[in-house]
C-alpha cells in the first residue's frame, strides 16, 4: 500500500457516511474535497451535493478517479497541490476531506485565508491536531493553532476515528472536526495572528520576553500580563492585550 502523500484510505462506510452528513446536512450546491484519493469519501459527498470538485496531488489517484467517475458530470478532479490553490475561487462552497496529516495545519491556514468563501468545513485529521484546534485556554492542547482556528471559526470535534477504519492504518487516532466560519476582518485577523504567533513563539517564556522586541521593554513591563505566558491567556485576553499594545503605536518590526 502506498504511504506517499500521507495516504491512509478510509474504508469504514459508517465513518464515511457520518463525515459526508456532517459536511452536507442538506444538499449543498458545491463541495470542494481536499485529497480524494481513490474516492472513498467522494461518493458519499457527491450523493449529498449538486457539484463536487476534488483537488488531488497524486497523478495515479487522479487517473483512477477520472476512470471511476467517468460520465459523472457533477464531478471533476483537479490535479494540483492544494496548498497552491486559492480556495476563494470556489466561493460559496463547503470544504471537506480526509486530510493528508503531514500538511493538515498548512491546509487549515489555507482554508482560513479563504474566509468568506466557505460556509462549513469538515475535516478528518490526526486527533491531536483536532484537539489543538478546538482547545480552550487552560487545556494543555491550547496554543497558536487553537488561536488561529478560533479567530476564524467555531471548532467542534464531532467524533474520533480509530486506526482500524483506514487502510493502511495510521499510527495515531483521528478525529472529525467541524469548522463554522466567524465573520472576521481579514486585516485585523492577520495583524492579531502575527501578534499571537509572536506571543506563543517560545511557549514557556513570559510574554514580556516574547514581545519586548516588537513593542519595547517599557511598554511590555507596564502590562499586567507581562509576566504571564501566552498559554495562560484566553483568546479574548490576548485580543485585549493586543488592542492595548497596538494603541501605543505600530509594532517595531
Ligand atoms: N479521501 C481519501 C480517503 O479517505 O480514502 C484519501 C485520504 S488520504 C489521508 C489523503 C489524500 O490527500 C491522498 O489521496 C493524497 O494523495 C492527497 N494529498 C496529499 N497531499 C496533497 C496535496 N498537497 N494536495 C492535494 N492532495 C494531497
Amino acid at each position: 500500500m502506498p504511504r506517499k502523500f500521507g495516504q491512509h484510505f478510509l474504508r469504514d462506510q459508517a465513518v464515511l457516511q457520518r463525515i459526508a452528513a456532517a459536511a452536507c446536512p442538506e444538499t449543498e450546491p458545491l463541495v470542494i474535497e481536499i485529497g480524494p484519493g481513490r474516492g472513498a469519501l467522494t461518493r458519499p459527498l457527491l450523493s449529498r451535493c449538486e457539484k463536487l470538485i476534488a483537488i488531488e496531488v497524486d497523478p495515479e489517484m487522479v487517473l483512477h478517479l477520472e476512470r471511476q467517475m467517468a460520465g459523472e458530470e457533477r464531478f471533476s478532479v483537479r490535479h494540483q497541490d492544494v496548498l497552491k490553490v486559492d480556495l476563494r475561487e470556489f466561493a460559496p462552497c463547503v470544504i471537506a476531506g480526509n486530510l493528508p496529516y503531514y500538511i493538515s495545519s498548512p491546509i487549515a491556514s489555507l482554508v482560513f485565508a479563504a474566509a468568506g468563501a466557505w460556509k462549513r468545513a469538515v475535516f478528518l485529521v490526526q486527533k491531536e491536531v483536532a484537539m489543538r484546534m478546538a482547545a480552550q485556554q487552560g487545556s494543555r492542547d491550547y496554543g497558536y493553532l487553537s488561536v488561529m482556528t478560533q479567530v476564524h471559526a467555531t471548532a467542534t470535534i464531532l467524533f474520533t476515528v480509530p486506526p482500524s477504519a483506514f487502510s493502511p492504518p495510521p499510527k495515531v487516532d483521528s478525529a472529525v472536526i467541524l469548522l463554522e466560519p466567524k465573520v472576521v476582518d481579514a486585516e485585523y485577523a492577520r495583524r492579531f495572528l502575527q501578534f499571537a504567533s509572536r506571543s506563543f513563539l517560545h511557549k514557556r517564556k513570559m510574554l514580556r520576553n516574547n514581545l519586548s522586541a516588537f513593542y519595547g521593554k517599557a511598554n511590555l513591563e507596564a502590562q499586567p500580563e507581562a509576566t504571564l505566558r501566552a498559554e495562560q491567556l484566553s483568546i479574548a485576553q490576548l485580543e485585549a492585550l493586543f488592542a492595548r499594545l497596538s494603541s501605543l503605536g505600530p509594532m517595531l518590526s
Side-chain angles (χ1 to χ4, degrees), residues 37-250:
R38 298 197 185 105
L41 182 58
T42 311
R43 290 226 175 254
L45 284 172
L46 196 55
S47 71
R48 290 175 167 271
C49 68
E50 285 163 15
K51 189 175 166 196
L52 188 150
I53 300 173
I55 302 166
E56 172 59 61
V57 76
D58 183 345
E60 285 176 34
M61 296 295 144
V62 171
L63 262 181
H64 177 91
L65 270 177
E66 280 172 344
R67 281 197 205 111
Q68 269 238 323
M69 309 291 277
E72 177 51 83
E73 286 178 2
R74 298 179 303 121
F75 168 81
S76 62
V77 56
R78 280 205 193 173
H79 178 206
Q80 216 170 349
D81 173 353
V82 71
L83 296 179
K84 302 209 167 100
V85 176
D86 183 345
L87 294 168
R88 287 175 298 187
E89 72 170 282
F90 303 114
C93 66
V94 163
I95 308 177
N98 168 15
L99 297 188
Y101 292 180
Y102 73 108
I103 48 167
S104 44
S105 293
I107 291 174
S109 298
L110 180 90
V111 168
F112 296 139
W118 48 280
K119 62 184 238 190
R120 188 181 310 116
V122 174
F123 295 129
L124 180 55
V125 293
Q126 192 176 332
K127 183 179 168 190
E128 186 196 308
V129 171
M131 289 177 67
R132 282 167 50 209
M133 290 176 93
Q136 301 296 316
Q137 184 270 327
S139 145
R140 72 188 169 90
D141 297 310
Y142 179 69
Y144 177 71
L145 184 61
S146 325
V147 177
M148 178 180 81
T149 301
Q150 293 166 44
V151 161
H152 289 104
T154 303
T156 312
I157 296 177
L158 299 180
F159 58 95
T160 56
V161 181
S164 59
F166 302 81
S167 173
K171 290 198 175 75
V172 291
D173 280 330
S174 303
V176 175
I177 191 158
L178 165 68
L179 302 172
E180 294 169 292
K182 291 178 181 168
V183 177
V184 57
D185 177 76
E187 181 53 20
Y188 170 79
R190 190 192 64 74
R191 286 174 44 244
F192 171 63
L193 289 175
Q194 184 185 44
F195 163 83
S197 75
R198 287 170 168 170
S199 301
F200 279 98
L201 191 60
H202 302 288
K203 246 191 134 176
R204 310 307 304 172
K205 283 196 180 174
M206 288 186 271
L207 284 161
R208 70 174 178 204
N209 294 328
N210 281 338
L211 293 173
S212 285
F214 306 107
Y215 293 97
K217 200 163 181 280
N219 287 338
L220 253 297
E221 297 292 353
Q223 306 305 320
E225 303 90 339
T227 55
L228 297 176
R229 299 188 302 271
E231 63 186 2
Q232 294 176 281
L233 269 58
S234 67
I235 296 175
Q237 289 169 321
L238 281 167
E239 288 193 273
L241 176 60
F242 173 63
R244 245 179 286 130
L245 289 171
S246 302
S247 71
L248 300 171

Side-chain angles (χ1 to χ4, degrees), residues 15-27:
V15 170
L16 288 160
Q17 291 298 341
R18 283 179 80 185
I19 297 173
C24 307
E26 287 169 9
T27 305

